[in-house]
Structures are given as structure tokens and as C-alpha cells.
Amino acid sequence: MVCRKTPKQAPCGGLSPLNDCWRFLHLSYNHSRSPGELRKEAVHRRAGREPQTVNCERAVILESITDAFFALDEQWRCTYVNDAAAQILLKPRRELVGKHIWDLHPSFVGTELYHELRKAMVLKVSAHLEVRSDYTGYWYEYHVYSSPQGLAVFFRDITERKRAEKALRLSEERFGTAFHASPNPTCIATMDDGRIVDVNRVWTSLLGYDRDEVIGKTISELGILPGPEERRLVAERLLENTQPSELVVRTKSGQERIWLVSAAQVVLDGHDCILSQSLDVTKKRKTEEALKISEHRLSLIHDMANDLLFLVRVEPDEVYRVVTVSNSYLKTMGMKREEVIGKTPQQVLPEEHARYVTGKYREALSLKRTIRYAEFIETPDGIKICETTLTPVLDDTGNFFYLLGVIHDITEQERTAEALRLSEERFSKAFNCSPVLMTITRAEDGRFVDVNAAFSRVMGCTREETVGRTASELGLDAALENHPHWVEILAEQREVQAQEVKFKTWPGAERTGLVSTEIIDIGGEECLLNVIQDITEQRHLEREMVRLDRLDLIGEMAAGIAHEIRNPMTSARGFIQLLGEKEERPQHRCYFDLVIQELDRANAIISEYLSLAKNKTVDKQQLNLNKVIQALMPMIAADARKSDKDVNIQLAEVPDLLLDEKEIRQLILNLVRNGLEAMEAHGILTIRTALDDGAVVLQVEDQGPGIPDEFLNKLGTPFFTTKESGTGLGLAVCHSIAHRHNATVAPETGPNGTTFHVRFNIPPPD
């Protein structure tokens, strides 16, 4: 049960004084007289106006009032219940009178009504409250009055009033919610003077005001609309028209906006007001004006445009209707204007093509931006490849008016592009598959744009590591940089052909190449196409051929004249030896010995010189290189100890080779002695053998200062030496021996020493 107190008011029926009524009710209860009997007695005694008669009349009044009424004595017994109360309490009056009220309705115990009745009984005060019955769900209004005899309770059903109040409250809440949540500017103003009663947030936002600035002000005072008289006329026009009216309103900053306004008359707190709701159509009107101008311009260029122009109106249910087309469109399509204007794509184009373009129309509308797409258009002159630009035209609410299309014939352009693509594809294949090194660099800063696979393989850096960087940043020198004198040649001839340069790879190896450079255009930017033919091996072979030719020449000379020189020397040596043995010249013996030593040294040089002979006979047998080295170790160790140096032997298992033992011994000793002579005391000479990619490799490594770069190309040249007492034939003899054994000799030098690699190729099995 829900109770609600109400303001105090006089009870219905004007019952007074209560004490007389209570005495009457008490009397009727004690004598168990029915209300009907009381009414009869009241009529019978009316003439005398005795107190009993007055009480009967008051009982008649209690029965005739519309309010329900019951009386309680101080013991909470019902002393009187009228018919209206009995109907509400759902029991006959005889079951109620004389009964304890809380026995009749125990559910009332503990409720607010219970407490208010007890308070009125004890304190002798009145009470007024509203109660909702949990049992019936009805609302009742109670007026409780106290007297010395007990309580008099008037109550009535106010359920309908409560429902009406709730409906009114909900209606007002819904109105307030709709008012303030409306996406359109909404305002309530008084009818007589136009003072603003309320506005929603959108209204203040669009006009630039705060809500507190406008409440209580008139539209005219704010300058939103013209003066009072004009405002009154505007209000009348709005109320008379069923369709919205366009008004020019002014914002707080003075900017004029176009609003589409509709209004209705409402009553608010007893005052006539006007409720207006607006739609800002400023952008729409400007768009429409711009569209008119655009259509005018479009009509002017119809006769001049080479591209095909068309304008499509967007209608409900995805209907697209042609509004206008250019003359070039009609000429290209071979159509008359009446065959196109007012038609849909389905009525003008083949079915599949119409389905394709309407899909593009939907795409442009959904994206709300210009799109481009390619399409094939069938014309009387054949199928054209076209690029269509489609631009949606929107109003200020985001709705579409038109789609403007421009069709550009790109048939020849596509054919040219296809030919260019094929050309570039062929160039790409030639570029990437070429065995020569090829690069493309920007002329402005020398940064790599592209490199081919051969370049990456030789230079030792991948394409990803190269592109976007310069040769200097990669540590690649010479050929890949723009030499100053090349700039002049390129400026005059736009190409440089076959310039021999030295360049270094990423690992640091130096190579030789022939570079050709040509200026090309890539995407509007000048670039250099560099073609590098690696001739390192070619130059090495050329030098080797020159060296071998020299050795052959020297060998032929040695074979031709060595015997002619040695025979006189042998005779001279014999006679000097005889003269030195004579006793008459003992004081000259030291001179004779010196001459003999020099003749022996000259004979040794000639013997070594003869080793260079191309046609020297060799006796090759199956030998193991390790065994030859081990046989020489005592001699090598003795030479090392004389100069306070050490020898380290690292021999790997290697197969037997066809070798001339004497010549291989000479080759090893020459390399070992050169290494020992190149080192300071306490240096270590290392002799290794190894298998490497189908070859047996002999390595002689010293810890000397290395060989200067300017001497490297001269090594092995007869009579070239850096030693004070050398003949320059040691390495030349080594090269000759290696050549006769189908082997190669290659030095590897640095500041920490030099290593000579002698590579013996293993012959294939029979």
C-alpha cells in the first residue's frame, strides 16, 4: 500500500459540528438501529427540530454524499459505514458495523494509513493523505478528522485522476525529450510579444547564442527576425500555412542563414505560445544556385567539349535518369538527343554494360566522392576504351541531386601504354638477365634507382641494400661515381662509351671494368644507365700472357746462349784454378779463390736462367706433395734457425699428383727462402697444404711487412727484385715450374704478411 499526504482541506459534504454527529453515531450503534430507521425517525420528528431529528438529517447527508465514509470509536470499532464505503470495502454494512477495523483489514496494519490513523486518534489531529492499495491497485484519497468519540474518515477513489496526472507527466517528459533531442532548431515563444520561453541546443548552436542569453528576450531584440510588426506578420503566415516557409534569419555574428520554418500554436502555463521548428537549408540553396550556374556552364561547353559529358538525376529506388548530354556524346554514340534524354541506363545501354555503370553510380553515392573507372563502350566506330570520371552533387543534408560524368577516350593511350609496357618488360628482362653489371642512378645525386642481378653478385650487396644509396655510402669506388670529366662528356654527347676504370666491391676486392653511361628519362627525371663490363679476369689473363711470353722469350734466349756462355766460363775457371795452385804465386791465391766464387755464382745464375726454358724436359711421377715438403723440412728448419726464425707445418690429407720432384723441391725452397728473408727475427713461417674445390693448394705464409701495391703486378718478372743481392729469377722460376705443372701462383699480401698460393688442379679420373 502506497500513501501520499495531501494538503489539508475541508471534508466533502460540509459535515459540522462533528461532536453532534459522533453522538448520533454512538447512539445508533448502541441501539442497533439501521440507517433506514434513522431516516424514518428523522422525517417523523422534523417538525420539532429536536437534536435527535438533526442527527437523523445528518445521517441522511452521510448517505447521500459521493465520498465513502466510516466512523471509528476509541476502541477502533466501526460505528458507522455509508453505502459508498461498503462498496469500496467489498462487504455489506452489517458485517462492518461494530467490528474492529484492524480485524476487518489486517493488511492495513503497519502501513502509512495505519500510522496516520493512530496518530490522529492519539493526538486528536486531522490527517490528509493519498494511498494506493496493493491489493486492488487503486488510489484513494483519505481525510481523517478527530473528535472526543473517535475518528471520522472520508475517502474516495482517485485512480483516474492519478492516471491522468501520470499520463500528463509522461506526455510532458516526452515533449521535453523530443524538444531538446530534436536534430532541428526548435523554439517556443509567446504569441503576443514574441519572448522566448525555451530553445533547444541545436537552435543556440546554429545561431551562436548561449541559452541564458535568449530566454526572456524577444526575437526582435536579438535581431534574429525583423521588428515586432514584421515578426507578427511572419508568425501569422507561419500559422496559416500548412507548408513550411523560408525565412532569412540572422546569427549572433550577423551572418544570414536560410531556414525552412514550420510553426504551431500551443498553450503553455495558460499562455498562448508559438512552437517553431526549422531546417537550415542555406547549403542546399547555395548548392542549387551553384548547380544552376554549373548547368549553365555545362550547356555552354556542350558544343566545345571533346570528352563525352552527361548529367544523371538521382531518383528514389536507385533510378538514374539522364538529364542532359553533350553533343560529342551524341556524335560518338551515334544517337539522337531524344533517344537519351529522360532515359535510364537500362534503356540506353546493353544489359551487361548498364548493370556495370549503375554499380559504379551506387559506389560514387555511397562514397560521396568523385570516382574514376575504366569501361569499354560500343560505338558505331567500334569498341572504345574509356576512362569515366563520376562526381556526385549533394545538397546540405547529404542527399544527392545529380551525378556528373565525363567520359574520356583513352583507346590510343592504352595502346601506347601497352606497347610501352611490353617495351619496359623486354628492357626489364634484358636488364635483370644481362651477364654484365648494369645500374640506374639518379643524375642529380647519384643514388641507385635499380641494379641487376649480375651487379649484386659481383659487388656482394643485395638489391635491397643498394637501392636508394650512393656508391660512396656503400663503399664502392671509382666506376660507380660520376667522374668530373664524365659530366662534360655527358653534357655534350649524353653518353660515355667504354671507359676503363678500377672499382672495389663491397668485400674490398679491386676489379677492372669498362663503363658505358647514357642519360635516360624515367618518370620525368634524368637518370644514368651504367653498363659495366667486368674485365678483371681478361686483364689478368692478358698480364699472364705477357709474363708467359716474356718467360718464353727468356727461355728461348737461355736455351740458345746459355751453353755458349757456360763453356768459356768453364775454361776460364779451370785455368784460374790451375794458376791458383802454382807455388810461385801464393800471395795471389785469395784473388784466384774470389774469381772462382764469382764464376760459380754466375754459373748458378745461368743454371737458374736455364730453368725458365719453355722446352725444358720434366720427369713427372705420382707423388704426394706432403712427402716432398716433409723431405725438405730438415733443410728448411736449418735455414730458419740460422736467421733465428721458426717454421710451422700444417699439412692436410691430399691426393697424389703428377709432379717433377726436383722442380717442386725448387719451387718450395724458392718460396720458403723468400718468406724467411722477408721476416724479422723470431718470425714464424707457415707451410700449409689443403684441398679446395677440386685442387691441391700449397700455401707459404710469412709475417713480413707485405708487398707494396706498385710491385704486385711486377712479381714474377725476370730480373725484377726488391732484394739488395737478389737476381729476380726466383719467382719467375716458380711461375715457370707452376706453368709446366698446370698450376698457378697467386700472392695475397697485407701489412701483417704475405701468403703465396700455389694451386695444383687435380686431373679428372680416366
Side-chain angles (χ1 to χ4, degrees), residues 447-500:
R447 295 192 178 276
F448 288 102
V449 176
D450 202 358
V451 296
N452 68 349
F455 179 92
S456 299
R457 183 178 63 255
V458 173
M459 290 299 184
C461 49
T462 64
R463 181 180 182 278
E464 290 74 16
E465 294 169 332
T466 308
V467 172
R469 303 172 70 182
T470 65
S472 298
E473 291 173 353
L474 292 169
L476 310 176
D477 296 336
L480 307 182
E481 296 288 352
N482 297 327
H483 293 294
H485 69 280
W486 287 10
V487 177
E488 299 177 1
I489 300 174
L490 285 170
E492 294 178 2
Q493 305 177 8
R494 298 189 65 82
E495 64 177 8
V496 174
Q497 293 293 334
Q499 296 289 321
E500 183 172 331

Side-chain angles (χ1 to χ4, degrees), residues 573-623:
R573 185 181 187 285
F575 284 114
I576 290 173
Q577 188 175 6
L578 288 174
L579 290 173
E581 292 177 353
K582 291 185 178 290
E583 296 180 356
E584 60 269 18
R585 292 197 177 108
Q587 68 277 18
H588 298 131
R589 186 177 299 279
C590 60
Y591 299 118
F592 293 142
D593 291 340
L594 180 61
V595 172
I596 290 172
Q597 289 176 5
E598 291 300 315
L599 288 172
D600 288 342
R601 193 167 75 86
N603 186 51
I605 293 173
I606 292 172
S607 297
E608 193 171 13
Y609 188 42
L610 285 172
S611 298
L612 300 175
K614 180 179 180 181
N615 56 356
K616 181 179 179 181
T617 303
V618 293
D619 182 17
K620 293 182 180 180
Q621 297 179 3
Q622 287 287 343
L623 293 174

Side-chain angles (χ1 to χ4, degrees), residues 255-319:
Q255 182 185 9
E256 290 188 347
R257 311 286 297 178
I258 302 173
W259 279 13
L260 196 62
V261 183
S262 58
Q265 186 174 352
V266 295
V267 176
L268 191 65
D269 294 334
H271 298 284
D272 290 334
C273 298
I274 182 169
L275 170 66
S276 63
Q277 192 168 52
S278 309
L279 179 65
D280 192 333
V281 294
T282 308
K283 291 183 180 178
K284 180 179 179 181
R285 294 297 177 258
K286 290 181 179 179
T287 301
E288 290 173 347
E289 184 64 26
L291 183 59
K292 290 179 181 178
I293 296 173
S294 177
E295 288 178 347
H296 178 65
R297 292 174 179 172
L298 182 62
S299 65
L300 293 177
I301 65 175
H302 270 177
D303 296 332
M304 299 182 292
N306 292 322
D307 289 338
L308 283 60
L309 307 179
F310 64 92
L311 191 65
V312 175
R313 184 172 60 247
V314 180
E315 298 181 355
D317 299 327
E318 295 188 348
V319 175

Side-chain angles (χ1 to χ4, degrees), residues 1-5 107-108 111-113 129-142 156-159 162-163 166:
M1 178 177 290
V2 178
C3 300
R4 183 176 301 166
K5 296 182 180 179
S107 60
F108 286 177
T111 64
E112 185 177 356
L113 176 61
L129 64 157
E130 294 176 355
V131 176
R132 186 179 70 84
S133 172
D134 292 335
Y135 179 72
T136 63
Y138 292 156
W139 279 88
Y140 298 97
E141 182 182 38
Y142 287 88
R156 57 179 164 179
D157 188 345
I158 59 170
T159 303
K162 284 292 184 180
R163 289 174 179 171
K166 181 179 180 182

